[in-house]
């Protein structure tokens, strides 16, 4: 039985129909609570269908592919209750469902534990990375250097020879952004980069918004034209504050969610990039952003944010040190993230094979390699 707007009971399966369509969870216990309108309540007939088997069935490739075929909406994907009722599944006898669910509880539990360990490792490494960067760009590499009060609470003391400089004072051109209009998308042309493409901390051309015409590119370039060494900061949305540097001579352009920072003669781009990623600077971003429909920070506000700036020679030394140190940490993080993705794929494949009878759960020997 599929329904919406009723009180969930023990054994019901909650199915997400909006946004992250297809996610499921089994209700445990009869504790009164109200479900959001984005969830569908599936109440299996326990004489014919176990909740745990249904939960795993909903996670299988076959059901998820059907879900994707019925989903409507680009901005907010949605699945109707009527569409959910049209989805087919294979339902073995009840004893077999229970054996499959027991098997998957055990096997996916081991995989989930491995994934949790790797996710914890990633979190620890990311904290370590941020700490290494923050220490170097606020205190330098010489532990015995004399210090002075920076005058800004979140920076504290900085080396004596350093200056606290506002970003607008170290740029060669005013901080700007891309066009505040939605261009007409093209099947090919000039790559058009938005916030999603820098959300990983690098300009990822696999995640661009799309392509724009040469005419639009020429028009947008009158305001700003990207060049190697420019730094982008996401200034609106969930990834506000994330920064990336241009490391290509490829011709492209950017959209309005990105602020472009072009360093002048007093600042090295890679040192500034590391500074903008420091815990202290990110704290200052969070303190100054505004909330409307989403968090955002204005370019004038960005320009008035400060970073500690050492002499150029010391900037180069710190940037080179951090490039080496963060590259090592990033390599370990990348390995852990790859292990997580592989494990998730194996988990999904195991579930799909079990609920469709492609493996004998009674005699299966785990070979997941985790």
């Amino acid at each position: 039985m599929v329904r919406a707007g009723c009180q969930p009971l023990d054994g019901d399966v909650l199915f997400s129909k909006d946004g992250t369509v297809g996610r499921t969870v089994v209700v445990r216990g009869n504790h009164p609570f109200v479900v959001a309108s984005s969830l569908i309540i599936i109440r299996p007939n326990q004489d014919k269908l176990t909740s745990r088997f249904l939960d795993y069935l909903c996670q299988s490739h076959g059901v998820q592919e059907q879900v994707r075929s019925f989903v409507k909406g680009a901005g907010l994907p949605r699945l109707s209750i009527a569409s959910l009722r049209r989805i087919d599944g294979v339902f073995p006898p009840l004893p077999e469902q229970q054996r499959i669910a027991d098997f998957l509880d055990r096997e996916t539990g081991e995989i989930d534990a491995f994934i949790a360990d790797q996710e914890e490792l990633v979190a620890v490494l990311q904290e370590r990375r941020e700490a290494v960067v923050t220490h170097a760009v606020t205190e330098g590499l010489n532990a015995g250097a004399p210090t002075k009060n920076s005058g800004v609470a979140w920076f504290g003391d900085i080396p004596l020879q350093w200056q606290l400089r506002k970003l607008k004072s170290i740029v060669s051109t005013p901080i700007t952004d891309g066009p505040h209009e939605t261009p007409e998308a093209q099947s090919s042309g000039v790559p058009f980069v938005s916030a999603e493409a820098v959300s990983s901390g690098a300009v990822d051309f696999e995640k661009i918004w799309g392509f724009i015409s040469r005419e639009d590119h020429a028009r947008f370039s009158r305001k700003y034209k990207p060049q190697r060494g420019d730094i982008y900061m996401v200034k609106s949305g969930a990834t506000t504050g994330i920064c990336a540097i241009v490391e290509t001579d490829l011709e492209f352009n950017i959209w309005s969610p990105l602020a472009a920072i072009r360093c002048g003669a007093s600042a090295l781009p890679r040192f500034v990039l590391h500074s903008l990623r420091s815990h202290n600077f990110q704290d200052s971003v969070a303190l100054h952003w505004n909330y409307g429909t989403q968090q955002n920070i204005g370019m004038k506000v960005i320009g008035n944010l400060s970073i500690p700036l050492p002499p150029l020679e010391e900037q180069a030394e710190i940037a080179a040190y951090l490039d080496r140190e963060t590259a090592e940490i990033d390599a370990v993080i990348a390995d852990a993230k790859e292990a997580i993705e592989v494990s998730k794929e194996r988990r999904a494949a195991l579930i799909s094979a079990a609920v469709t009878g492609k493996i004998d759960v009674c005699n299966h020997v785990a070979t997941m390699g985790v």
Side-chain angles (χ1 to χ4, degrees), residues 25-288:
V25 65
V26 179
V27 176
R28 306 294 187 186
N30 288 310
H31 306 290
F33 68 96
V34 177
V35 299
S37 60
S38 60
L39 297 175
I40 297 173
I41 300 172
I42 306 176
R43 183 163 299 163
N45 182 338
Q46 296 293 340
D47 294 331
K48 298 179 180 179
L49 180 62
T50 70
S51 302
R52 289 185 302 145
F53 178 83
L54 176 61
D55 184 31
Y56 284 123
L57 180 64
C58 289
Q59 297 176 47
S60 68
H61 289 314
V63 169
Q64 288 295 313
E65 286 177 0
Q66 292 180 74
V67 167
R68 285 190 288 272
S69 72
F70 286 122
V71 166
K72 305 294 183 183
L76 180 66
R78 295 174 180 266
L79 179 76
S80 67
I81 293 179
S83 294
L84 180 59
R85 289 194 174 105
R86 295 171 61 190
I87 292 175
D88 296 321
V90 177
F91 300 95
L94 197 62
E96 184 70 10
Q97 292 180 35
Q98 293 168 340
R99 284 194 294 269
I100 292 171
D102 290 341
F103 165 80
L104 288 175
D105 282 350
R106 181 176 65 255
E107 296 296 324
T108 61
E110 292 179 3
I111 298 173
D112 289 344
F114 175 79
I115 291 173
D117 287 343
Q118 293 301 300
E119 289 174 339
E120 183 178 355
L121 174 61
V122 168
V124 169
L125 289 169
Q126 288 174 335
E127 289 178 4
R128 170 62 179 163
R129 187 188 197 282
E130 189 175 76
V132 169
V133 169
T134 299
H135 183 274
V137 300
T138 56
E139 300 181 36
L141 304 180
N142 184 359
T147 61
K148 63 182 179 183
N149 190 302
S150 67
V152 176
W154 48 81
F155 286 117
D157 291 344
I158 60 175
L160 190 62
Q161 300 303 315
W162 293 26
Q163 298 178 331
L164 196 68
R165 298 278 297 276
K166 291 183 177 181
L167 289 181
K168 66 182 180 182
S169 73
I170 65 169
V171 295
S172 61
T173 59
I175 297 172
T176 189
D177 59 3
H180 288 242
E181 63 178 88
T182 302
E184 183 177 347
Q186 308 292 317
S187 58
S188 62
V190 179
F192 198 54
V193 172
S194 192
E196 185 179 0
V198 304
S199 60
S200 64
V203 182
D204 185 350
F205 287 92
E206 296 295 320
K207 297 181 179 179
I208 62 172
W209 175 86
F211 297 95
I212 58 174
S213 66
R214 288 246 163 228
E215 291 74 18
D216 279 344
H217 174 57
R219 182 162 56 89
F220 298 157
S221 294
R222 289 197 288 269
K223 178 182 182 185
Y224 167 75
K225 187 174 183 179
Q227 69 179 40
R228 183 183 289 269
D230 287 355
I231 298 170
Y232 298 142
M233 178 190 293
V234 179
K235 63 184 183 69
S236 63
T239 56
T240 296
I242 296 292
C243 299
I245 192 168
V246 178
E247 298 180 285
T248 180
D249 295 315
L250 177 72
E251 193 173 25
F252 68 96
N253 220 306
I254 66 169
W255 208 3
S256 59
L258 297 176
I261 301 166
R262 182 170 293 169
C263 296
S266 65
L268 298 180
R270 293 210 66 82
F271 176 84
V272 174
L273 175 69
H274 287 302
S275 294
L276 301 186
R277 289 173 169 171
S278 70
H279 179 76
N280 309 63
F281 185 83
Q282 289 296 312
D283 277 354
S284 68
V285 170
L287 284 170
H288 288 89

Side-chain angles (χ1 to χ4, degrees), residues 236-349:
S236 63
T239 56
T240 296
I242 296 292
C243 299
I245 192 168
V246 178
E247 298 180 285
T248 180
D249 295 315
L250 177 72
E251 193 173 25
F252 68 96
N253 220 306
I254 66 169
W255 208 3
S256 59
L258 297 176
I261 301 166
R262 182 170 293 169
C263 296
S266 65
L268 298 180
R270 293 210 66 82
F271 176 84
V272 174
L273 175 69
H274 287 302
S275 294
L276 301 186
R277 289 173 169 171
S278 70
H279 179 76
N280 309 63
F281 185 83
Q282 289 296 312
D283 277 354
S284 68
V285 170
L287 284 170
H288 288 89
W289 67 37
N290 298 313
Y291 284 95
T293 54
Q294 58 185 355
Q295 61 199 34
N296 64 88
I297 185 168
M299 286 180 298
K300 288 184 178 180
V301 177
I302 294 172
N304 283 318
L305 298 179
S306 301
I307 61 169
L309 196 69
L312 280 170
E313 183 178 350
E314 196 169 356
Q315 289 182 45
E317 182 182 5
I318 293 171
Y321 164 78
L322 287 177
D323 284 347
R324 291 192 305 272
E325 293 296 312
T326 58
E328 292 179 4
I329 297 173
D330 289 343
V332 182
I333 290 175
D335 287 344
K337 287 184 175 181
E338 182 178 1
I340 290 170
E341 290 308 308
V342 169
S343 297
K344 287 180 177 179
E345 290 172 5
R346 288 175 172 171
R347 183 186 193 279

